Structure formats: structure tokens, C-alpha cells
Amino acid sequence: MQSLTPVNHPMPADSFSSEHAFAVEADRCDPLARFRDAFELPTDDRGQPLRYFAGNSLGLMPKQAKDLIAQELADWSKHGVDGHQHGETAWYRYHELFRETAATMVGSLPGETVMMNSLTVNLHLMLVSFYQPDLSSGRTKILLEEPIFPSDRYAVASHIKSRGLDPNEHVLWIRPRPSEHLIRTEDVEQLLRDHGSEISLVMLAGVNYFTGQFMEIERITRAGHAAGCMVGWDLAHAVGNMPLKLHEWGPDFAVWCSYKYLNAGPGAIAGCFVHERHEESPHLNRYGGWWGNDPSTRFEFGEAFDPQCGAEGWQLSNPPILAMTPLRASLEIFQQASMARARAKSMQLTGYLRWLLEQAKGSPFEIITPVDAAFCGCQLSLLVHDAPRERFEAVRSAQMVCDFRTPNVIRVAPTPLYNTFEDVWVLADVLSNHDKGH
Ligand SMILES: *Cc1c(COP(=O)(O)O)cnc(C)c1O
């Protein structure tokens, strides 16, 4: 198993209790409880607070975001174009504000990570560089997993097509075995041993959006490299959820969005990791733009694109400052709380939710997310055999937010920074007892 930051697990499952008082006490002892107040908690039309379990889709708003955006508006209003060099946070080097903080979130070196664009755009930029099908050797395919998020499928298919190849023939799929829901690492390794020489790029999701499975990134990356493939990861559901060590685990690239567990707002500016070994690779194709040019020569407006060393050399445009600002609020919270402590609480919260749901009489759900806490994060995916829609509606009418994936999966994601043990207790109560008069 890949090495993760060791965390204390002071609340083992055998100490859980289904008494409401247990949840209240767990919240009272929670060292991260104060961070809930750093977020705006959504309310219904009458101002009643909602219990929010959809941080895997859109994280809540850090209260500080408003003031930080107001500051940038004030700088714009006061300085005009001079805001690029003056003001509280000069815009010319604004993206560099995230060098350390964003790198910490994914366990990269500072020069390996840049915040820019949105996830799918970054995936396209990485495919331009890291998908180099070689017809002469027959290494032309991309390995994807099922179930896959549609955007990733579309992005990959469009690249295969743009190289004059047929996506139906040049995607290999790794799937759960029949009657299973999760992907086995040994099956990925076997596929890479059997078909590795046909595969140009392995592109998988770090945490699967549907099942919540946390993949063995390090092991699969090693197997991909051993088979001679490039390896990239979509970390949309992993960043801010799991501690990551991208530099050490060694993939060639990774991309992620910032509006899920990172709480940086709808359509927030996304992240991109390029491993140090590629920081200056002149043979890689890449799309050029002036913001990827070395900042010391950017304003010489030279004829030849002179890319900056490292991930920042993949930037295209000067960044949208107003859209980027909430990231500062969000990453500051993670810095204060620390990902290791967030993960420790997350294991307790999600472990507690699983335990409560497993107490439900008649097992109305099958939790398809891995049982082993090492292989899942916040999210539990509940395959509901009995009245899936009705149960989901019951949760909504009980002032709680989660989501539904047709035909019968309810996804719930208690997050360690703003959810409480009591939130989890109430959710489990409604999910389990909906048929008893809720
Ligand atoms: C959320 C998510 C996306 C969304 O893509 P955007 O470009 O941010 O709209 C893409 N892929 C995966 C795996 C996701 O979970």
C-alpha cells in the first residue's frame, strides 16, 4: 500500500454508538470543529440551515472569500493597469501566491504545480504534451477506467481523433470484474503486462467519482512506467480529500478542479501538476501562450516562445484574478487545519457514517465504496435496493443535501472541515428509517 501520512485513529469503530449523545460528544471533542465557522452554511428559503453532504460536487464558500474579492476590486478601482505591479497582491505574479500552498495539497515540489484554467482545459493541455501515439511501434492507445466521468472520456476521444485515429480502437478499458463494483489494482497491473506495449498513456481517476474508490496511485504509476507508458491522473475527487504525494509517486502529470473538496467556488481555477522530470523537456509538444513564457523575458515580446521551467510553463493567458481569489481563502483554511488532521477526522466521520448505516435493519443499501479506509475518502456511494428515489427525496425533505446518480446510487460526502458528527447521525437516521414515517 502506498505510504500515507500516518494519522491517529483515536476513535475506533468499536467505540461508536448509535446514541445521539455520542455524536454530540464527538463534536465537542473535535479539534477541527472551529473550522465550520469559516464557511457559509447554506439555508433553505425560510433561512433554515441545511446539512450539507455535497462537498464532492461543490464545496461551501469560505467566508473570507468575499473580503478578498472586495480587495481585488478595490485595487482594480484604485490602480487600474498599475494593479499588475502595485496593490496588496500585484497581479503580475498572482499565480505564484499558490506555489507553496497548492503544491502542499498534492505533495509536489513548488515548481511542479500551477493553478490555471479549469480541469478539462488542463486535461487537454496535458494530452497535447503527454499523448504521443507512435504508429511505427504500435504504441497508440490510452487506458481509461469504467465508470468514467464523461468529460474525461470526451477529452480523450477528441485527442485520439485529432491524431487521425479511431477512439473506438484506441481506448483500452479497465473495469470492475463481473458482479463487482471496484477496480482491482492487480487487474490493472495484469492488463499493463499483457497490453502495455500498445498503450501510450494511462489516464485514470485518483478517486472514482461514482464509487468513491481511492486508487493505488503509486503502484499503478509504477506499473504503467514499467510498461513504457506515460501516466496521468485526474484528481478531481482526490485533492482536498486525500493526502497525496505526487512528486514521490511519480506520475507524469495530474489535473484537478478546485470547486469540490477545495471549496474555491463554482468553476474555480483548477490545478495542474507536471513532474519535475519534464520541467524542461523541449521535445514535448505543448500549446504556447505568453503567460507560459519565462516572466523575465515575457515583456520583451520576443518572436520565439521561451517556456518557463516547470508547470508554470504550461500557462496560456494572464490569470482571471477575480476568479482565482477564493482559492486563497480556501487554501489558507487547509493550511491552518492541515491535510493530515483533516484526513484523520474524515476517516472518523465517514467511518462513523458507514457504521451507522450498517446498523440499519434489513440492509436496504449496499455501500459500494471500499470498506478499507485506506481506499476511500469522504464519500460513500450507497447502492439502494429498496426505494432509492424515495429515500433520496426523504433526505432532501429533511433539510439535507446529497446527490443521486441514476438508476439507484445516492452519494453522500461528509467533509471534515464543515460537517459534524451530528450531521452524520441525522443523515444516517433519515436514510435508515425513511420507511418508518419520515
Ligand atoms: C468534476 C469532474 C470533472 C469536471 O470537469 P470541469 O472541467 O471542472 O467542468 C471532470 N472530471 C472528473 C473526473 C470530475 O470528477
Side-chain angles (χ1 to χ4, degrees), residues 118-120 149 151-152 209 234 236-237 257 259-260:
S118 50
L119 190 167
T120 306
F149 197 89
S151 200
D152 300 30
Y209 82 100
D234 183 330
H237 282 260
C257 55
Y259 48 80
K260 293 171 180 169

Side-chain angles (χ1 to χ4, degrees), residues 116-134:
M116 60 180 187
N117 310 315
S118 50
L119 190 167
T120 306
V121 173
N122 289 342
L123 179 55
H124 278 292
L125 295 179
M126 293 296 99
L127 288 167
V128 165
S129 295
F130 295 102
Y131 174 50
Q132 302 299 337
D134 180 3

Side-chain angles (χ1 to χ4, degrees), residues 64-80:
Q64 214 207 344
K66 246 184 211 167
D67 288 345
L68 292 178
I69 291 176
Q71 179 62 51
E72 298 309 334
L73 288 170
D75 282 350
W76 180 21
S77 131
K78 179 162 188 294
H79 300 293

Side-chain angles (χ1 to χ4, degrees), residues 263-303:
N263 311 309
I269 300 304
C272 184
F273 162 91
V274 178
H275 198 275
E276 190 185 31
R277 75 176 79 88
H278 300 298
E279 67 179 9
E280 287 189 284
S281 309
H283 60 279
L284 288 179
N285 288 332
R286 79 167 95 176
Y287 284 166
W290 73 320
W291 229 252
N293 200 87
D294 188 330
S296 62
T297 59
R298 188 179 292 143
F299 274 89
E300 291 170 15
F301 290 4
E303 275 182 30

